[in-house]
Amino acid sequence: MYGPDIPRFTKQEEETLVKEHWDDQITPTVRFSDLYKNKTSSVYTSLPEYVYKRWYFQRIMTIGDSCHKFEPLTGQGGNSAIETAAALTNHLMSALRSNFCQSLSTVDISSVFEKVQRQREERTWSLVRAAHARQRLECLETPLLKLIARFVTPYYPLQLLKEHWIATYSAAVSLDMIAIPRRPREIPFYDELFRVPATRGIAGLLLYVGYLLIAFVAFRLLFVATAANGTWALVRQAVRDRSITMGGLEVPLRRVFTGFRPVDRILQSLVTIFLPVVAGPPRPEQALQLLYFLSSMLPLISIFTVEGYRRRNKWTLLSSLWAVLYQLRGIGFIAPFYFMASTSITGRISYFSWTTRSLPESTAKVILPAVAAGYILPTMLLFFPIDNAQTRQSVVAVWQPAPVFVVIMTELLSRAIECIGRGRQAKPDSPSADERIDSDLPYLSVLYTTTCIISASLHMSLIFSCLLSENLSLTRLFFPVDSFAPVASLADGASTFLKNDFLLVTASTFVWCWVSVWDLYRVGISNVSPLSASVGLLAGFAGIGPGATAAAIWFWREQTMSQREFRQRS
């Protein structure tokens, strides 16, 4: 409504409205009538809201309520007036600097005004609409809004509210010629970032489709193909016969590992699959391929453990649960689902706040020792030449829950450090809260560097060995000839499974690493473009291997997410 169509209310109409709401309960002990009786003054008026189509004429410009008027509940009227004034000042200063030797003409000033309106109009419209929606909800305008206010709003997730607040306040305009005071804040303003944050859009949906496609291919290659080529039949036969091949000899298959029958059955099957590959396989490259696969897993297991303990990932990326799943079903099949869960929680802009990046220092300290004791040591023992068949099977069985051991050791060691720390008094020169937030960074940096070096060393050694040796071939090491063709032995079937498992987890890890780099770019805290990320990842996967590249990405990502400032204001 405009002009004369906007209703004007009389004092009598005000009194009529007051009587309708006289006994409305404001609080458990205060009614509307109590407020009205003690009023200083009152007025019953329409609350206009608008954004003018044109804010200026020649050398005159309107700002504030004179060109964009809000409902009062959100408190954006004054804020928007200040923002428009700041935008006007910025553009005027820019015009004056460009015309240093002469005064601004009417055309120049009109151009300045046009730029101001172009910069501010879309934002003011969005704020007006938000204020209108808020006013309708607060007034319980419709039965639906009444239901929402009563049953939905009280349970609205704080994180989603936070996203709305970020969208409202972070896009505010600041004065270009004045340095912004350095105050600690969780979310930076948009003009402090490299670019205005953006959502994933349709690309986010395509990512989920990609992960699901990899999972489908994994199902085909890891389960359907393994059944079709006879590997599962050979495993079942070995378990039935209680006999397995080790170093070319038939040895009894151990029946008891833990004394708990369901667990022992699972371990029997896993030992039956792994033992022929690590203990004298028909072709030496089969054991070499497994060693390379497990070394590439080292950085991923470290990263999974870190992400499981990060505060903002709590429960979503629970490390022990995922570890059990991918050890039982194959990481090539489970990893896409893990990466989907990770991608779903990293879509929010607020996720990348530096205040929620960190791990407890006690946890960060112990992840590397836990990885060394829980994963590296069992993996080394897996390839250690042990002649005793029963002992060798026990070693293979102990290795199976190695990623779970990492989580358990991390938990136990970190709690022990916390208990020791509680008994010590804080020193007078103890670090500030901000410094404590980043106290995990040195330990995580060592973790990523160590796992990167180990994985990269094995990758490059394998590449050079294949290039220098006539008996080794990269294609034979990594690519199965025909996953569905019948296998001659259990070692061949297990090797085919492991090759497919490795290729699948490599593919999904590539996507995950790319998304992790792109996310920092799209939220404005990094300048590494998606194209640069693609080229870098391809070079890294080929040059130092997928595991080492993932560790390097996480090293860089950790440093980037811990930043408080991202670019210098011009």
Side-chain angles (χ1 to χ4, degrees):
M1 293 184 289
Y2 298 92
D5 294 332
I6 299 175
R8 270 62 173 177
F9 301 105
T10 65
K11 203 65 179 176
Q12 184 178 358
E13 288 173 313
E14 177 187 334
E15 295 295 336
T16 302
L17 182 66
V18 166
K19 288 178 181 178
E20 291 178 14
H21 298 278
W22 190 254
D23 292 323
D24 285 2
Q25 205 78 40
I26 305 299
T27 72
T29 58
V30 177
R31 296 176 184 271
F32 175 71
S33 56
D34 299 323
L35 298 177
Y36 195 77
K37 289 174 187 176
N38 293 281
K39 71 182 187 301
T40 301
S41 63
S42 65
V43 62
Y44 180 26
T45 183
S46 300
L47 292 175
E49 51 182 348
Y50 51 78
V51 176
Y52 277 176
K53 294 180 179 179
R54 188 176 176 89
W55 299 5
Y56 62 92
F57 176 73
Q58 293 188 355
R59 303 176 73 90
I60 302 171
M61 184 171 194
T62 57
I63 64 172
D65 284 358
S66 57
C67 61
H68 40 68
K69 181 76 170 67
F70 294 80
E71 298 279 9
L73 277 181
T74 57
Q76 287 299 316
N79 286 343
S80 293
I82 294 171
E83 284 190 43
T84 303
L88 175 59
T89 303
N90 289 339
H91 287 291
L92 275 175
M93 291 293 292
S94 177
L96 288 170
R97 283 193 293 266
S98 301
N99 297 270
F100 183 73
C101 297
Q102 57 186 3
S103 60
L104 298 178
S105 66
T106 299
V107 173
D108 294 331
I109 292 177
S110 292
S111 175
V112 167
F113 293 163
E114 181 185 1
K115 291 175 182 177
V116 173
Q117 181 171 349
R118 194 184 312 132
Q119 177 185 357
R120 295 281 299 132
E121 188 171 17
E122 182 179 348
R123 174 163 163 76
T124 51
W125 260 123
S126 66
L127 293 174
V128 164
R129 294 189 190 101
H132 183 82
R134 173 73 178 276
Q135 187 84 7
R136 292 185 65 205
L137 179 64
E138 295 281 350
C139 293
L140 308 178
E141 189 174 274
T142 66
L144 176 60
L145 289 175
K146 289 179 182 179
L147 288 173
I148 291 174
R150 183 173 180 182
F151 298 108
V152 177
T153 303
Y155 307 102
Y156 201 69
L158 180 60
Q159 196 59 51
L160 293 180
L161 282 175
K162 196 174 182 181
E163 292 294 319
H164 291 310
W165 296 335
I166 291 171
T168 299
Y169 297 109
S170 295
V173 180
S174 61
L175 291 170
D176 292 339
M177 73 292 300
I178 299 177
I180 295 178
R182 291 190 175 185
R183 301 189 184 101
R185 51 179 169 269
E186 186 173 339
I187 302 294
F189 289 96
Y190 289 168
D191 60 4
E192 297 176 281
L193 300 171
F194 290 112
R195 66 196 54 79
V196 175
T199 62
R200 291 193 182 118
I202 190 66
L205 179 61
L206 294 177
L207 286 173
Y208 294 121
V209 172
Y211 286 132
L212 289 174
L213 182 60
I214 294 173
F216 173 75
V217 174
F219 178 80
R220 293 278 302 166
L221 293 179
L222 298 183
F223 305 131
V224 178
T226 308
N229 64 24
T231 301
W232 291 138
L234 291 173
V235 171
R236 287 192 294 269
Q237 182 180 345
V239 172
R240 278 197 308 268
D241 297 343
R242 298 174 186 173
S243 175
I244 191 170
T245 302
M246 175 178 163
L249 301 174
E250 292 291 326
V251 297
L253 178 62
R254 185 167 177 170
R255 298 179 61 189
V256 178
F257 294 96
T258 65
F260 188 52
R261 193 170 180 182
V263 175
D264 286 341
R265 284 181 176 176
I266 295 172
L267 290 176
Q268 268 190 322
S269 298
L270 293 173
V271 168
T272 303
I273 295 170
F274 276 84
L275 188 62
V277 179
V278 297
R283 287 185 288 276
E285 67 264 17
Q286 292 175 341
L288 190 59
Q289 192 273 338
L290 177 60
L291 175 62
Y292 176 78
F293 185 2
L294 299 184
S295 70
S296 297
M297 282 293 300
L298 172 62
L300 285 181
I301 289 172
S302 302
I303 291 170
F304 292 168
T305 305
V306 169
E307 294 302 320
Y309 279 95
R310 212 184 292 276
R311 282 188 295 160
R312 58 195 181 197
N313 296 340
K314 196 172 184 181
W315 305 117
T316 309
L317 301 181
L318 196 62
S319 303
S320 54
L321 173 62
W322 290 104
V324 171
L325 289 174
Y326 64 68
Q327 284 298 93
L328 290 177
R329 307 305 295 168
I331 193 167
F333 178 65
I334 296 299
F337 295 104
Y338 175 91
F339 297 151
M340 282 179 66
S342 172
T343 302
S344 70
I345 63 174
T346 57
R348 305 184 309 269
I349 295 171
S350 61
Y351 176 88
F352 297 95
S353 167
W354 57 269
T355 59
T356 58
R357 178 209 60 81
S358 62
L359 278 68
E361 183 180 346
S362 59
T363 302
K365 282 181 178 179
V366 302
I367 292 179
L368 182 56
V371 168
Y375 184 78
I376 296 177
L377 181 59
T379 301
M380 292 173 64
L381 289 174
L382 199 62
F383 296 91
F384 196 77
I386 301 173
D387 294 330
N388 185 281
Q390 297 298 306
T391 304
R392 193 67 182 266
Q393 291 179 61
S394 297
V395 169
V396 175
V398 167
W399 179 87
Q400 301 303 323
V404 181
F405 291 158
V406 172
V407 179
I408 293 172
M409 290 182 181
T410 300
E411 187 70 20
L412 293 176
L413 291 173
S414 63
R415 288 184 180 275
I417 290 177
E418 288 174 2
C419 290
I420 294 171
R422 289 194 197 103
R424 297 177 179 175
Q425 291 184 347
K427 297 180 180 179
D429 57 345
S430 58
S432 65
D434 281 4
E435 291 171 331
R436 287 197 301 273
I437 284 177
D438 287 340
S439 62
D440 63 322
L441 271 178
Y443 304 104
L444 295 183
S445 298
V446 172
L447 171 69
Y448 299 139
T449 303
T450 303
T451 56
C452 178
I453 290 173
I454 293 173
S455 185
S457 299
L458 283 167
H459 174 84
M460 289 186 285
S461 298
L462 183 64
I463 297 297
F464 284 121
S465 297
C466 290
L467 293 175
L468 298 175
S469 173
E470 296 179 356
N471 300 321
L472 291 177
S473 165
L474 287 174
T475 54
R476 286 204 309 271
L477 274 171
F478 295 112
F479 300 98
V481 178
D482 184 356
S483 300
F484 291 85
V487 294
S489 66
L490 193 50
D492 290 341
S495 180
T496 299
F497 179 94
L498 292 169
K499 288 176 183 178
N500 286 325
D501 205 21
F502 172 74
L503 292 174
L504 290 160
V505 72
T506 297
S508 56
T509 299
F510 182 93
V511 176
W512 189 45
C513 288
W514 183 87
V515 172
S516 300
V517 177
W518 174 49
D519 275 342
L520 299 186
Y521 178 85
R522 70 175 177 82
V523 300
I525 64 177
S526 162
N527 250 345
V528 180
S529 68
L531 178 59
S532 299
S534 302
V535 174
L537 285 170
L538 287 172
F541 273 49
I544 60 175
T549 302
I553 291 292
W554 246 249
F555 179 95
W556 166 82
R557 185 175 182 263
E558 212 76 55
Q559 304 295 327
T560 303
M561 290 192 300
S562 67
Q563 293 179 93
R564 311 291 197 273
E565 298 179 10
F566 304 97
R567 69 175 177 90
Q568 295 295 323
R569 289 162 56 84
S570 57

